[in-house]
């Protein structure tokens, strides 16, 4: 799969690249508590990453590879939005 944005209440939370839909569903299920924090009513959704968001995933993957990590072991990273 291509890089995918995981959103909480329509706000990007992380960019991941699952191997397939089953992998994506498992991540959302297992990470839901982390993703929503204390907001139990939050809605977790996903969409394809745009060009800038995909670039973040590829930069993280390059950093992972630089320290000796394998690309197939790299899943994704959180997105930190600037505070307004």
């Amino acid at each position: 799969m291509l890089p995918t944005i995981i959103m909480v209440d329509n706000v990007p939370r992380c960019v991941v690249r699952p191997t397939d839909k089953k992998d994506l569903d498992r991540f959302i299920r297992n990470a839901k508590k982390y993703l929503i924090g204390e907001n139990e009513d939050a809605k977790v959704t996903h969409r394809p990453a745009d060009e800038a968001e995909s670039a973040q995933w590829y930069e993280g993957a390059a950093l992972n590879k630089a320290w000796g990590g394998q690309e197939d072991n790299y899943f994704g990273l959180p997105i930190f939005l600037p505070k307004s």
Side-chain angles (χ1 to χ4, degrees), residues 21-56:
K21 176 79 166 102
K22 185 177 176 181
D23 195 27
L24 175 62
D25 292 341
R26 182 176 41 253
F27 172 74
I28 291 172
R29 182 181 61 247
N30 292 341
K32 188 169 184 174
K33 189 173 182 178
Y34 164 78
L35 293 167
I36 65 173
E38 295 179 15
N39 184 2
E40 294 181 15
D41 296 327
K43 183 177 180 183
V44 179
T45 57
H46 62 88
R47 63 169 172 74
D50 65 24
E51 188 175 320
E53 294 161 340
S54 291
Q56 290 183 45

